Amino acid sequence: MRILIQTLFILLTFGAVLSGCGGQSDAPTSAAAAAPEKTYNWKIVTTWPPNFPIFQEGVQRFADDVKILSNGRLKIKVFAGGELVPALQVFDAVSQGTVEMGHGAGYYWAGKLPAAQFFTAVPFGMNAQGMNAWLSAGDGLTLWRELYKPHNLVPFPMGNTGVQMGGWFNKKIDSVADLKGLKMRIPGLGGKVFAKAGGTPVLMAGGEIYTALDRGTIDATEWVGPFHDERLGLYRAAKYYYYPGWHEPGPVLELTVNAQAYASLPANLQKAIEVAASDTNQWMLNQFEARNMQALRRLKDEHKVQVLPFPDDVLAELHRLTGEVMDEEAAKNPAFKKVYENYRGFMADHDEWGQLSEAAYQRARGQ
Ligand code: CA
């Protein structure tokens, strides 16, 4: 307390000296410095259902953190998908400045921006650790910002599910031939690979999946992982739960900020957004890492779900087909090609290092 009082005294004295100096010089006294600091009331819209655990929960946590970090100067009101704008119009709403911020996943905008998929997930691509390294210490974030700049958006990584599950099936998958003719809810590049394997990818929002699987409109589906899949009740509609999620090995969720709104903020409030987003990015991944195994145990023990690995030859073929899909997409779209080359180069180094770090360590533990 004594130190605090001394500090305050020094600050007040220093302030008085500065004011005194200002009065003696010809420089006009700054009205801005004397006025109370400006406050900002912003809105964030998300692609998630109301109260959706971890995702929507994390966005609310982010807004609360920004309020604290900005000393109440930047208040962000959170809206779930459909509350202010439809879930899949988040990109446009933030781009046009209808709202200042959005939260979702880059691959939802694949129709408009195929290269945006690199900033969510690539089949057989990098895991959460690799994605965070590429975005934060490689060229990932620079490429992402370059891609979104013409759309008036500043993106930040804000969340990651970790490796997802491969999905729910009504029959066993013993060979690639078993994928032929299957209708599966699987989005993005993973869906394109699945089509090459002879399946039919279907796109549908999370809320429709259970009914479609239960009624046989689709034969299989992927969603997220044990924690969220249990909540959707998918174990009541399919019996076989396959791993790993080859199509989504570490999907990144994104915060998008309208570029003009972001530029209008003082540097300390911009930093509050960056710091809170970075913390939320890690917080969401931690939630999945902590909660998934408990949910998987309940699925196995209470709901008698059969949890099975995809056969090695099925994964090898899906991996090979992924290479074809990536090359075809790169040939069609220069922005996709540019990001792919950088992503692929970073992943090669990260994989090589990972072989003698993470992978070697796992083997050393007998795993
Ligand atoms: Ca998924």
Side-chain angles (χ1 to χ4, degrees):
M1 181 55 87
R2 194 167 160 194
I3 291 170
L4 181 65
I5 290 168
Q6 282 171 349
T7 309
L8 276 172
F9 178 75
I10 291 164
L11 284 173
L12 287 169
T13 311
F14 187 57
V17 170
L18 278 184
S19 307
C21 289
Q24 284 162 7
S25 75
D26 293 338
T29 307
S30 166
E37 290 183 310
K38 188 176 172 186
T39 60
Y40 300 82
N41 288 293
W42 280 18
K43 296 184 185 78
I44 184 167
V45 291
T46 80
T47 55
W48 320 119
N51 304 316
F52 194 57
I54 305 181
F55 292 0
Q56 190 70 13
E57 188 187 357
V59 174
Q60 183 60 56
R61 183 184 182 276
F62 160 78
D64 294 344
D65 285 354
V66 169
K67 190 176 167 191
I68 294 167
L69 288 168
S70 68
N71 203 19
R73 289 181 62 202
L74 178 50
K75 293 175 192 146
I76 305 165
K77 194 163 164 45
V78 181
F79 296 89
E83 286 182 345
L84 205 58
V85 298
L88 296 182
Q89 284 176 28
V90 164
F91 186 96
D92 290 339
V94 184
S95 172
Q96 290 155 13
T98 312
V99 291
E100 292 85 2
M101 288 177 150
H103 190 258
Y107 68 5
Y108 291 150
W109 333 123
K112 200 188 301 271
L113 278 177
Q117 295 174 100
F118 285 101
F119 306 104
T120 310
V122 172
F124 295 97
M126 286 189 274
N127 62 9
Q129 206 163 330
M131 285 304 293
N132 280 330
W134 181 55
L135 291 170
S136 146
D139 299 326
L141 188 60
T142 305
L143 289 165
W144 196 2
R145 294 211 164 149
E146 191 180 297
L147 184 73
Y148 277 25
K149 195 172 181 193
H151 299 273
N152 214 24
L153 296 171
V154 183
F156 297 80
M158 194 166 109
N160 197 305
T161 68
V163 182
Q164 297 201 353
M165 285 292 280
W168 298 84
F169 294 79
N170 271 316
K171 64 168 197 173
K172 278 198 173 178
I173 305 299
D174 294 321
S175 69
V176 179
D178 289 326
L179 298 176
K180 290 201 186 353
L182 277 192
K183 271 176 104 174
M184 178 171 182
R185 185 267 181 197
I186 176 168
L189 292 164
K192 293 201 162 161
V193 176
F194 185 68
K196 267 192 181 280
T200 305
V202 178
L203 283 180
M204 58 177 65
E208 303 165 37
I209 297 175
Y210 172 77
T211 309
L213 190 61
D214 195 48
R215 291 184 182 164
T217 314
I218 52 175
D219 308 304
T221 186
E222 70 83 53
W223 176 227
V224 183
F227 179 77
H228 278 126
D229 293 10
E230 180 192 31
R231 287 184 171 237
L232 219 53
L234 296 174
Y235 57 86
R236 294 199 299 267
K239 175 164 141 184
Y240 304 108
Y241 195 21
Y242 275 90
Y243 66 91
W246 56 273
H247 61 302
E248 293 190 24
V252 175
L253 305 178
E254 66 177 18
L255 168 72
T256 47
V257 187
N258 175 274
Q260 281 77 43
Y262 189 67
S264 76
L265 292 178
N268 62 331
L269 299 194
Q270 289 181 342
K271 186 55 90 174
I273 291 172
E274 185 189 325
V275 168
S278 173
D279 185 63
T280 304
N281 189 50
Q282 187 65 48
W283 180 86
M284 286 197 198
L285 179 62
N286 295 347
Q287 293 297 314
F288 284 106
E289 292 292 312
R291 298 197 210 178
N292 268 335
M293 195 58 222
Q294 296 159 13
L296 189 66
R297 233 172 248 131
R298 285 191 296 272
L299 289 170
K300 284 204 291 195
D301 299 345
E302 292 171 30
H303 304 299
K304 309 301 173 202
V305 169
Q306 289 198 41
V307 179
L308 300 167
F310 283 120
D312 288 345
D313 59 340
V314 170
L315 289 174
E317 178 63 1
L318 291 170
H319 198 169
R320 189 186 71 77
L321 295 173
T322 295
E324 288 184 13
V325 166
M326 298 304 284
D327 289 345
E328 285 167 15
E329 295 296 307
K332 277 192 282 190
N333 186 290
F336 190 100
K337 184 168 186 276
K338 181 180 177 180
V339 182
Y340 184 35
E341 281 170 2
N342 188 278
Y343 179 99
R344 195 162 48 176
F346 190 93
M347 182 165 74
D349 279 357
H350 188 253
D351 282 350
E352 196 175 342
W353 167 239
Q355 277 307 310
L356 54 110
S357 57
E358 301 287 336
Y361 177 65
Q362 291 287 355
R363 281 195 299 275
R365 293 179 67 199
Q367 289 186 320

